[in-house]
Amino acid sequence: MRSLWLSVLSLVPAVVYGAQIPVINGVIGGVSNATESVKPKLLAAGATTPGKLRYKENSGVCETTPGVDQASGYGDLTATESIWFWFFESRNDPDNAPLALWFNGGPGSSSMIGLLQELGPCRITNDSKSVTLNPFSWNNDANLLFIDQPVGVGFSHGDLKVGTSQAAAADVWSFLQIFFADERFAKYQGNNLAIWTESYGGHYGPTFAAHFLAQNAAIDKGTVNGVKLNLKVLGVGDGLTDPLNQYPGYIEYAGNNPYHDLVSSSVISRANSDWSSSNGCKAQISNCYATGSNSVCSSAQSFCNNKILSPLAGNWDVYYVPTRNPDPYPPSISSYLNSVASKIGAEATWTESNEQVYSNFASTGDWMHNSRPDLETVIKAGVRTIVYDGDADYILNFNGVEAMVDALQTQFTNLYHSQEFASFNVRGQAAGLYKNAGTFSYVRFFGAGHEVPAYKWGTLGVGEAAAQMFTQIMKDQSLSST
C-alpha cells in the first residue's frame, strides 16, 4: 500500500514488499513473459454517458468539515471507458482557490492512496476500519481533484487501451475537458491549475504537464478545440523521471544512506558490475533512450530491475528503509473504500492496482523512457515546479532524484548549481534540506518514506512539513522556513 508500482498479485512470492510493488518471478519491477490478460472491468452497454460526468454530491464520506462540499463519480470518455474522480472543495474560499490534481503512480496504482494515506481531507486509521479528519489536508487552501487513471485503475473501469505515459496524458486531458464542461465545475476553468503526483508520477507529471501546454498552444492556433488549462504548478514527489541518471542512486543508497546499509558490499559490487558492463544496465538504458524501441526499453527494465533495483533492496522495506520488510504502515485502505463504495457512487470493486495496466506499460518499455526533457519544457515555460523526496525511501531514493535534478538543463541550471542546501524549517524545526532557483525548487524531507505526506518528523504532525511545502508552492512562492 505504497504509491509506487502495482503488484502482479498472481506472481507475488510468499514474502511481499507491500501490496503495490510489482514482484514478478521474484523481481521487484520485473517484466512478465506471460501473455494472459486480465479481463477489462466493463459496464453493461449503455450504462455510461460518453462525454459527460456522473457523480454524487456531499456523500458525507471523508470530508466532514461543515460547509465544505465534495463530489465523486465518473467522467465517461467513451461508452466503454470511465475514469473515476473524487473532488473536494477548498476549506477556504473555494471559488477562488486553485485546483490541484493528484495522481498516484504505478503504472496502475489508484490515487485513492494519496487521498486516504497521505494528503486528503481524511486519513485512514491504523485498524483500516475508519478515517479521521486530516488537519494538514491539502484542501485547506486548494480544491483537490483525485483521479484514478488510466482506465481500469482503482474505481475506473472499461477498455484497457493505455500503455504509455503519453497515451495516459491524452486521456487525462479528455477527462478534464469533460470535467470543466460540467455546470457544477465550470466555474473553476479560470482558476490556477496544479498537477501533483508521485512515484511513477515522475513520468506522469512532466508528460501530462507538457501535453497540457502543447494542447493549449494548439487551441491558440485553432488546430484543437477545447478549454485551455490554466497550468501554473507541477509537483513531483519521489518520482521516476530519468532512469539513466537515477539508477546509480540505488547502488549509492544501498551502501550509504541516513539509516543503515541495505545489503552487503559483495551485493553492491555485483550491482556495480551489472551497471557498467558492456551490455549492462547503463548500456541498455542508453540504447532505450537512443532508439525508443518497445522491446529494447522493456528488456532494459527487466535487466536493470533484476540485477540492480531488486537485489539492492535487501530485506528492508523499499518504501521506508528504517523497518524490515514488509512495513504495515501506511495501513490498508481496501476494505474501507469498498465499504463506502455505494455511498460515493463507485461502480467497480476497488483494488490498489491493476495487473493488466502494469503489463501494458511494461510491454512498451515506458518505465525506461526519459521524461526529463518534458520536465525541462515545463520549467522553461514558466510553470512553478517542485521536485521532492523522502530520505527514508529506497525505491525512488534521493540520490537518484537529486542526480536527475542536477542534470536538468533550464534557465535556472547555473543558479541552482550555485546554491547550497538550506535547512527547511517548519515551526522552527529542521524538517529537510532545500534549494530554490527561480521558479524551480527541490526539497529532501527528513524521516519520510515514499509517501512523503504520510510521515512526520520530530514533534511535527503527520504531513505537516509536506503541507507547508504545498501551501508555499501553490501560492507561487519559493520554499522558505517558518
Side-chain angles (χ1 to χ4, degrees):
M1 33 227 139
R2 312 293 195 274
S3 47
L4 183 61
W5 307 306
L6 87 108
S7 60
V8 180
L9 300 179
S10 62
L11 299 173
V12 172
V15 177
V16 181
Y17 292 83
Q20 274 201 258
I21 192 167
V23 182
I24 302 178
N25 297 329
V27 178
I28 303 172
V31 177
S32 174
N33 293 322
T35 58
E36 293 184 6
S37 63
V38 177
K39 291 182 179 179
K41 296 183 287 185
L42 285 174
L43 284 182
T48 63
T49 55
K52 302 289 185 181
L53 294 185
R54 297 174 290 117
Y55 51 87
K56 288 189 175 182
E57 293 192 80
N58 298 326
S59 63
V61 178
C62 187
E63 176 59 281
T64 56
T65 303
V68 179
D69 291 339
Q70 63 171 296
S72 49
Y74 291 92
D76 295 326
L77 303 183
T78 68
T80 59
E81 296 171 286
S82 298
I83 284 185
W84 167 261
F85 73 94
W86 200 338
F87 169 83
F88 298 93
E89 276 189 347
S90 173
R91 291 168 176 170
N92 179 43
D93 192 18
D95 286 354
N96 297 302
L99 174 63
L101 314 177
W102 176 264
F103 302 97
N104 278 95
S109 300
S110 168
S111 295
M112 301 303 96
I113 298 161
L115 195 169
L116 294 176
Q117 292 183 341
E118 302 186 64
L119 56 103
C122 65
R123 180 173 280 121
I124 194 74
T125 53
N126 285 338
D127 62 7
S128 296
K129 294 181 179 179
S130 60
V131 294
T132 57
L133 210 62
N134 178 11
F136 300 109
S137 173
W138 289 9
N139 80 319
N140 280 339
D141 293 294
N143 300 295
L144 291 184
L145 180 58
F146 297 88
I147 301 173
D148 273 351
Q149 63 79 43
V151 170
V153 170
F155 282 130
S156 297
H157 55 74
D159 290 334
L160 309 184
K161 299 177 179 178
V162 173
T164 66
S165 296
Q166 187 59 48
D171 274 1
V172 169
W173 170 271
S174 296
F175 168 79
L176 290 172
Q177 295 299 306
I178 296 170
F179 181 83
F180 285 122
D182 187 89
E183 62 180 6
R184 167 69 176 80
F185 302 107
K187 65 182 180 181
Y188 299 112
Q189 285 182 15
N191 294 30
N192 288 348
L193 182 70
I195 296 172
W196 289 83
T197 184
E198 73 183 15
S199 198
Y200 206 82
H203 281 330
Y204 286 158
T207 306
F208 292 6
H211 183 70
F212 290 5
L213 295 175
Q215 290 291 93
N216 286 348
I219 290 173
D220 286 338
K221 292 179 181 178
T223 57
V224 167
N225 293 322
V227 175
K228 291 175 64 175
L229 302 183
N230 191 24
L231 183 65
K232 297 296 184 183
V233 169
L234 171 63
V236 178
D238 298 72
L240 176 66
T241 300
D242 176 3
L244 187 61
N245 275 299
Q246 289 184 242
Y247 265 69
Y250 292 115
I251 300 170
E252 184 176 358
Y253 191 92
N256 183 24
N257 63 70
Y259 301 96
H260 49 71
D261 292 349
L262 304 186
V263 292
S264 67
S265 58
S266 61
V267 174
I268 293 173
S269 179
R270 283 196 298 273
N272 264 312
S273 296
D274 287 322
W275 168 255
S276 58
S277 62
S278 59
N279 192 36
C281 179
K282 180 180 181 180
Q284 292 195 32
I285 299 176
S286 297
N287 196 17
C288 168
Y289 280 21
T291 66
S293 162
N294 287 4
S295 61
V296 169
C297 296
S298 184
S299 294
Q301 176 184 341
S302 180
F303 180 90
C304 295
N305 291 352
N306 182 52
K307 297 293 188 178
I308 292 178
L309 189 157
S310 198
L312 289 174
N315 195 35
W316 304 97
D317 188 277
V318 294
Y319 297 109
Y320 185 69
V321 298
T323 63
R324 290 196 175 272
N325 176 65
D327 180 8
Y329 181 84
S332 172
I333 61 177
S334 182
S335 60
Y336 173 77
L337 270 176
N338 283 307
S339 74
V340 301
S342 62
K343 293 181 181 179
I344 60 178
E347 299 167 341
T349 299
W350 186 86
T351 55
E352 284 188 309
S353 52
N354 184 295
E355 300 174 23
Q356 187 60 38
V357 171
Y358 175 77
S359 179
N360 288 347
F361 275 77
S363 68
T364 68
D366 190 82
W367 182 304
M368 283 302 183
H369 287 187
N370 183 13
S371 294
R372 179 164 56 86
D374 279 340
L375 182 58
E376 291 166 346
T377 294
V378 174
I379 296 169
K380 290 175 182 177
V383 175
R384 181 170 287 279
T385 302
I386 183 163
V387 173
Y388 64 95
D389 207 290
D391 74 358
D393 179 25
Y394 164 79
I395 203 72
L396 268 315
N397 56 77
F398 70 86
N399 298 102
V401 171
E402 289 174 13
M404 182 279 293
V405 170
D406 284 343
L408 288 170
Q409 297 298 313
T410 75
Q411 67 272 40
F412 306 125
T413 295
N414 292 337
L415 178 59
Y416 183 87
H417 289 161
S418 71
Q419 304 294 312
E420 297 292 335
F421 277 113
S423 179
F424 186 61
N425 297 343
V426 180
R427 290 195 291 114
Q429 299 181 53
L433 298 171
Y434 77 98
K435 287 187 183 184
N436 293 314
T439 53
F440 177 80
S441 299
Y442 168 77
V443 57
R444 181 203 314 168
F445 287 96
F446 299 151
H450 187 65
E451 298 180 20
V452 167
Y455 295 89
K456 61 177 295 181
W457 181 252
T459 61
L460 300 174
V462 175
E464 185 175 0
Q468 176 171 301
M469 168 196 69
F470 177 80
T471 299
Q472 291 176 347
I473 295 298
M474 291 297 286
K475 289 181 178 179
D476 194 23
Q477 299 171 354
S478 295
L479 294 180
S480 60
S481 291
T482 60

